[in-house]
Short mmCIF file of all heavy atoms in Angstrom, two decimals:
data_model
loop_
_atom_site.label_atom_id
_atom_site.label_comp_id
_atom_site.label_asym_id
_atom_site.label_seq_id
_atom_site.Cartn_x
_atom_site.Cartn_y
_atom_site.Cartn_z
N LEU A 423 -16.55 4.48 -4.11
CA LEU A 423 -15.87 3.94 -5.28
C LEU A 423 -15.37 2.52 -5.01
O LEU A 423 -15.44 1.65 -5.88
CB LEU A 423 -14.70 4.84 -5.67
CG LEU A 423 -13.94 4.46 -6.94
CD1 LEU A 423 -14.88 4.41 -8.14
CD2 LEU A 423 -12.80 5.43 -7.19
N LEU A 424 -14.89 2.26 -3.81
CA LEU A 424 -14.42 0.92 -3.47
C LEU A 424 -15.57 -0.08 -3.42
O LEU A 424 -15.46 -1.20 -3.94
CB LEU A 424 -13.68 0.96 -2.13
CG LEU A 424 -12.41 1.82 -2.09
CD1 LEU A 424 -11.82 1.82 -0.69
CD2 LEU A 424 -11.39 1.35 -3.10
N TRP A 425 -16.69 0.33 -2.80
CA TRP A 425 -17.86 -0.55 -2.80
C TRP A 425 -18.36 -0.78 -4.22
O TRP A 425 -18.72 -1.91 -4.59
CB TRP A 425 -18.97 0.06 -1.94
CG TRP A 425 -18.84 -0.19 -0.47
CD1 TRP A 425 -18.51 0.71 0.50
CD2 TRP A 425 -19.06 -1.43 0.21
NE1 TRP A 425 -18.49 0.11 1.73
CE2 TRP A 425 -18.83 -1.21 1.58
CE3 TRP A 425 -19.41 -2.72 -0.21
CZ2 TRP A 425 -18.94 -2.21 2.54
CZ3 TRP A 425 -19.53 -3.73 0.73
CH2 TRP A 425 -19.30 -3.47 2.09
N ALA A 427 -16.72 -0.78 -6.97
CA ALA A 427 -15.82 -1.69 -7.68
C ALA A 427 -16.12 -3.15 -7.33
O ALA A 427 -16.10 -4.03 -8.20
CB ALA A 427 -14.37 -1.35 -7.37
N VAL A 428 -16.39 -3.41 -6.07
CA VAL A 428 -16.70 -4.78 -5.64
C VAL A 428 -18.04 -5.24 -6.21
O VAL A 428 -18.16 -6.35 -6.75
CB VAL A 428 -16.72 -4.86 -4.10
CG1 VAL A 428 -17.32 -6.17 -3.62
CG2 VAL A 428 -15.30 -4.70 -3.55
N ALA A 435 -16.55 -10.80 -6.08
CA ALA A 435 -15.39 -9.91 -6.19
C ALA A 435 -15.00 -9.33 -4.82
O ALA A 435 -15.86 -9.03 -3.99
CB ALA A 435 -15.69 -8.76 -7.16
N VAL A 436 -13.70 -9.19 -4.60
CA VAL A 436 -13.18 -8.60 -3.36
C VAL A 436 -12.04 -7.66 -3.70
O VAL A 436 -11.35 -7.83 -4.71
CB VAL A 436 -12.68 -9.69 -2.38
CG1 VAL A 436 -13.81 -10.61 -1.96
CG2 VAL A 436 -11.53 -10.48 -2.97
N LEU A 437 -11.83 -6.67 -2.86
CA LEU A 437 -10.67 -5.79 -3.03
C LEU A 437 -9.40 -6.57 -2.76
O LEU A 437 -9.36 -7.45 -1.91
CB LEU A 437 -10.76 -4.59 -2.09
CG LEU A 437 -11.92 -3.63 -2.27
CD1 LEU A 437 -11.86 -2.53 -1.20
CD2 LEU A 437 -11.92 -3.00 -3.66
N ASP A 438 -8.34 -6.21 -3.46
CA ASP A 438 -7.07 -6.89 -3.29
C ASP A 438 -5.94 -5.87 -3.43
O ASP A 438 -6.17 -4.72 -3.80
CB ASP A 438 -6.92 -8.01 -4.33
CG ASP A 438 -5.99 -9.13 -3.87
OD1 ASP A 438 -5.22 -8.92 -2.92
OD2 ASP A 438 -6.06 -10.22 -4.46
N GLY A 439 -4.72 -6.30 -3.12
CA GLY A 439 -3.56 -5.44 -3.29
C GLY A 439 -3.68 -4.15 -2.51
O GLY A 439 -4.19 -4.11 -1.39
N SER A 441 -5.61 -1.66 -2.94
CA SER A 441 -6.99 -1.23 -2.69
C SER A 441 -7.51 -1.87 -1.40
O SER A 441 -8.22 -1.23 -0.62
CB SER A 441 -7.88 -1.61 -3.86
OG SER A 441 -7.43 -1.00 -5.05
N SER A 442 -7.17 -3.12 -1.17
CA SER A 442 -7.55 -3.78 0.08
C SER A 442 -6.87 -3.12 1.27
O SER A 442 -7.48 -2.90 2.32
CB SER A 442 -7.17 -5.26 0.03
OG SER A 442 -7.39 -5.89 1.27
N LEU A 443 -5.60 -2.76 1.10
CA LEU A 443 -4.87 -2.10 2.19
C LEU A 443 -5.48 -0.73 2.49
O LEU A 443 -5.57 -0.32 3.65
CB LEU A 443 -3.39 -1.94 1.81
CG LEU A 443 -2.62 -3.25 1.61
CD1 LEU A 443 -1.22 -2.96 1.08
CD2 LEU A 443 -2.54 -4.04 2.92
N THR A 444 -5.89 -0.01 1.45
CA THR A 444 -6.55 1.28 1.64
C THR A 444 -7.82 1.11 2.46
O THR A 444 -8.10 1.87 3.39
CB THR A 444 -6.88 1.91 0.28
OG1 THR A 444 -5.67 2.22 -0.40
CG2 THR A 444 -7.71 3.18 0.45
N ALA A 445 -8.61 0.10 2.12
CA ALA A 445 -9.84 -0.16 2.87
C ALA A 445 -9.55 -0.57 4.31
O ALA A 445 -10.41 -0.42 5.18
CB ALA A 445 -10.66 -1.24 2.17
N ILE A 456 -8.22 0.58 -9.14
CA ILE A 456 -8.68 -0.26 -8.04
C ILE A 456 -8.37 -1.71 -8.39
O ILE A 456 -8.68 -2.17 -9.49
CB ILE A 456 -10.18 -0.08 -7.78
CG1 ILE A 456 -10.48 1.38 -7.44
CG2 ILE A 456 -10.66 -0.99 -6.66
CD1 ILE A 456 -11.96 1.67 -7.31
N ASP A 457 -7.76 -2.42 -7.46
CA ASP A 457 -7.45 -3.84 -7.66
C ASP A 457 -8.54 -4.71 -7.04
O ASP A 457 -8.85 -4.57 -5.86
CB ASP A 457 -6.09 -4.18 -7.05
CG ASP A 457 -4.94 -3.69 -7.90
OD1 ASP A 457 -4.99 -3.88 -9.12
OD2 ASP A 457 -3.99 -3.08 -7.35
N VAL A 458 -9.09 -5.58 -7.86
CA VAL A 458 -10.15 -6.49 -7.44
C VAL A 458 -9.76 -7.89 -7.87
O VAL A 458 -9.22 -8.09 -8.96
CB VAL A 458 -11.50 -6.08 -8.09
CG1 VAL A 458 -12.55 -7.16 -7.89
CG2 VAL A 458 -11.99 -4.76 -7.51
N SER A 459 -10.05 -8.87 -7.02
CA SER A 459 -9.81 -10.27 -7.36
C SER A 459 -11.12 -11.05 -7.31
O SER A 459 -12.01 -10.74 -6.52
CB SER A 459 -8.80 -10.90 -6.39
OG SER A 459 -7.50 -10.41 -6.64
N LEU A 483 -9.88 -13.84 3.63
CA LEU A 483 -10.43 -12.48 3.61
C LEU A 483 -10.32 -11.84 4.98
O LEU A 483 -10.28 -12.51 6.02
CB LEU A 483 -11.90 -12.53 3.17
CG LEU A 483 -12.19 -13.16 1.81
CD1 LEU A 483 -13.67 -13.02 1.47
CD2 LEU A 483 -11.31 -12.55 0.72
N ILE A 488 -15.63 -3.69 3.84
CA ILE A 488 -15.69 -4.04 2.42
C ILE A 488 -15.04 -5.41 2.22
O ILE A 488 -13.97 -5.67 2.77
CB ILE A 488 -14.95 -2.98 1.58
CG1 ILE A 488 -15.55 -1.59 1.82
CG2 ILE A 488 -15.04 -3.32 0.10
CD1 ILE A 488 -14.84 -0.48 1.08
N PRO A 489 -15.64 -6.29 1.45
CA PRO A 489 -15.00 -7.58 1.17
C PRO A 489 -13.61 -7.37 0.58
O PRO A 489 -13.45 -6.69 -0.45
CB PRO A 489 -15.95 -8.23 0.16
CG PRO A 489 -17.27 -7.60 0.43
CD PRO A 489 -16.97 -6.19 0.81
N ARG A 490 -12.60 -7.94 1.23
CA ARG A 490 -11.22 -7.70 0.81
C ARG A 490 -10.31 -8.82 1.32
O ARG A 490 -10.61 -9.46 2.32
CB ARG A 490 -10.72 -6.35 1.34
CG ARG A 490 -10.64 -6.25 2.86
CD ARG A 490 -10.55 -4.80 3.31
NE ARG A 490 -10.28 -4.69 4.75
CZ ARG A 490 -11.20 -4.82 5.69
NH1 ARG A 490 -12.46 -5.07 5.37
NH2 ARG A 490 -10.88 -4.70 6.97
N VAL A 491 -9.21 -9.00 0.63
CA VAL A 491 -8.21 -9.99 1.02
C VAL A 491 -7.49 -9.51 2.27
O VAL A 491 -7.27 -8.30 2.44
CB VAL A 491 -7.22 -10.22 -0.14
CG1 VAL A 491 -6.08 -11.14 0.28
CG2 VAL A 491 -7.96 -10.78 -1.35
N GLU A 492 -7.14 -10.44 3.16
CA GLU A 492 -6.48 -10.05 4.42
C GLU A 492 -5.17 -9.33 4.14
O GLU A 492 -4.57 -9.45 3.07
CB GLU A 492 -6.28 -11.28 5.31
CG GLU A 492 -5.37 -12.34 4.74
CD GLU A 492 -3.92 -12.14 5.15
OE1 GLU A 492 -3.66 -11.38 6.11
OE2 GLU A 492 -3.05 -12.73 4.49
N SER A 496 -2.53 -9.19 0.96
CA SER A 496 -2.74 -7.98 0.15
C SER A 496 -1.44 -7.19 0.00
O SER A 496 -1.18 -6.61 -1.06
CB SER A 496 -3.80 -7.09 0.80
OG SER A 496 -5.08 -7.65 0.69
N ARG A 499 0.66 -8.95 -2.61
CA ARG A 499 0.09 -8.77 -3.95
C ARG A 499 0.22 -7.33 -4.42
O ARG A 499 0.43 -7.07 -5.61
CB ARG A 499 -1.37 -9.22 -3.95
CG ARG A 499 -1.53 -10.73 -3.85
CD ARG A 499 -2.98 -11.15 -3.80
NE ARG A 499 -3.13 -12.61 -3.80
CZ ARG A 499 -4.27 -13.25 -3.63
NH1 ARG A 499 -5.40 -12.55 -3.43
NH2 ARG A 499 -4.32 -14.56 -3.64
#
Side-chain angles (χ1 to χ4, degrees):
L423 184 58
L424 297 177
W425 277 109
V428 168
V436 298
L437 297 178
D438 206 343
S441 301
S442 173
L443 297 173
T444 294
I456 300 174
D457 284 314
V458 169
S459 288
L483 302 185
I488 303 177
R490 64 197 188 280
V491 174
E492 63 91 16
S496 289
R499 288 178 176 173

